[in-house]
Amino acid sequence: MGRSRNNRRRTAAAQAVTETVDGGLAQLIPDPDRPRAWTLLIDGAPQSHVDLDDPAYLSFEYQRRLGHVIDLAAPPGRPVQAVHLGGGALTLARYVAATRPRSTQQVVERDAALVQLVRRELPLDPNARIRVRSADARAGLAKVPDGWADLVVADVFSGARTPAHLTSTEFLDEVRRALKPSGVYAANLADGPPLAHLRGQIATAAARFPELALIADAAVLRGKRFGNAILAASDLPLPVAELTRRAASDPHPGRVEHGRQLTDFTGGAAPVTDAVAVASPAPPPSVFR
């Protein structure tokens, strides 16, 4: 009981931080239940949650699902070379550093002011091998050496939308170039009814990777509401059974689609190229209420 009161006092002492960054108004809101945990919002839209005392803790459901893909991308605890497109509060880079010590990571985050804010208020472990570069995601990816990465994670949103140039086959050509032959690509996608964007993104990934899996809430997959879906792609078979087990046991259970079911889900959508790419749809205001 004494420890609980102490935690509440520490949390009460923590003050929200509000600062204008390149992408809008950034807010760091203290978590009332975890003494050194914070939620990052940009223009009111939740972006990241990070616990400085426990970086292996993933609060947001989409980050938890990305964590499953990261966990299964290599044997447990084995260091990896990872590229993160989109930084936010650097939650997933911290997660990899905590769960896979001695990993080498590159984070590409366009918003230099946001990077400075996060570094100042939510400092990285100085022993973590995390390099943060302020650059456009695709331009930063182009600087990654051929075949360097075990893992490429794309979680890029500008104004709550994925930029058009990160949705095309040409973008995925860059992803494939940076990945090792055994590497895994994981992407956070967001869409709502009628799911035209999501179907197109699956078709685009299928044009470049032979093995795909999609993790999402059943209601999102049925086109009942707007939400996140996590795409995993590789040249090698994915651990679908284990992904399915982990997604089903989450606090908010998810479903995994793969194989013929995932092909059928695309409904004949065509792969997206740079010439026709558009940004992902904006979420309805009700999503953040």
Side-chain angles (χ1 to χ4, degrees):
M1 181 67 72
R3 181 179 178 183
S4 177
R5 283 198 299 268
N6 186 50
N7 284 351
R8 284 197 294 269
R9 283 196 297 269
R10 290 170 62 189
T11 301
Q15 298 294 318
V17 178
T18 301
E19 194 165 302
T20 300
V21 296
D22 299 339
L25 187 68
Q27 295 173 284
L28 288 171
I29 309 297
D31 186 330
D33 299 318
R34 303 178 76 91
R36 296 185 68 228
W38 300 78
T39 298
L40 168 67
L41 294 85
I42 304 291
D43 287 339
Q47 300 287 326
S48 305
H49 179 280
V50 63
D51 188 335
L52 299 180
D53 287 336
D54 183 10
Y57 173 76
L58 299 176
S59 174
F60 286 7
E61 196 58 53
Y62 87 86
Q63 291 182 328
R64 188 187 303 271
R65 289 170 181 163
L66 282 169
H68 297 330
V69 178
I70 292 168
D71 289 345
L72 299 172
R78 196 193 83 183
V80 296
Q81 296 182 165
V83 177
H84 301 267
L85 305 178
L90 308 177
T91 303
L92 291 172
R94 299 173 202 263
Y95 179 81
V96 172
T99 59
R100 297 182 177 278
R102 302 182 307 283
S103 291
T104 302
Q105 302 184 76
Q106 299 184 38
V107 178
V108 184
E109 170 56 60
R110 183 173 186 168
D111 195 327
L114 176 61
V115 171
Q116 292 178 355
L117 171 65
V118 169
R119 281 188 177 278
R120 185 184 73 237
E121 300 293 336
L122 310 176
L124 287 166
D125 179 345
N127 295 317
R129 301 177 182 179
I130 301 173
R131 178 188 177 188
V132 184
R133 176 185 293 140
S134 295
D136 171 78
R138 190 156 157 180
L141 180 63
K143 296 183 181 299
V144 175
D146 293 0
W148 183 84
D150 295 290
L151 183 69
V152 173
V153 179
D155 184 16
V156 185
F157 288 86
S158 177
R161 304 176 71 183
T162 301
H165 68 298
L166 305 181
T167 68
S168 67
T169 52
E170 290 90 342
F171 166 66
L172 290 184
D173 286 337
E174 275 296 303
V175 171
R176 283 184 61 91
R177 181 198 59 76
L179 280 172
K180 296 178 181 179
S182 59
V184 175
Y185 172 60
N188 178 26
L189 309 174
D191 199 9
L195 298 180
H197 174 74
L198 184 57
R199 297 182 203 278
Q201 287 303 285
I202 301 305
T204 303
R208 292 298 183 265
F209 291 95
E211 302 290 337
L212 304 178
L214 188 70
I215 312 171
D217 287 349
V220 172
L221 292 173
R222 290 197 300 266
K224 299 295 185 182
R225 67 172 182 85
F226 193 98
N228 297 89
I230 301 305
L231 171 69
S234 180
D235 281 343
L236 300 181
L238 293 163
V240 172
E242 183 61 17
L243 280 174
T244 300
R245 187 189 70 78
R246 292 187 181 212
S249 62
D250 277 339
H252 300 285
R255 200 168 84 193
V256 177
E257 297 285 5
H258 65 99
R260 180 58 184 271
Q261 287 181 318
L262 190 53
T263 301
D264 291 345
F265 174 79
T266 65
V272 176
T273 65
D274 277 345
V276 298
V278 296
S280 66
S286 60
V287 169
F288 304 125
R289 287 176 185 165

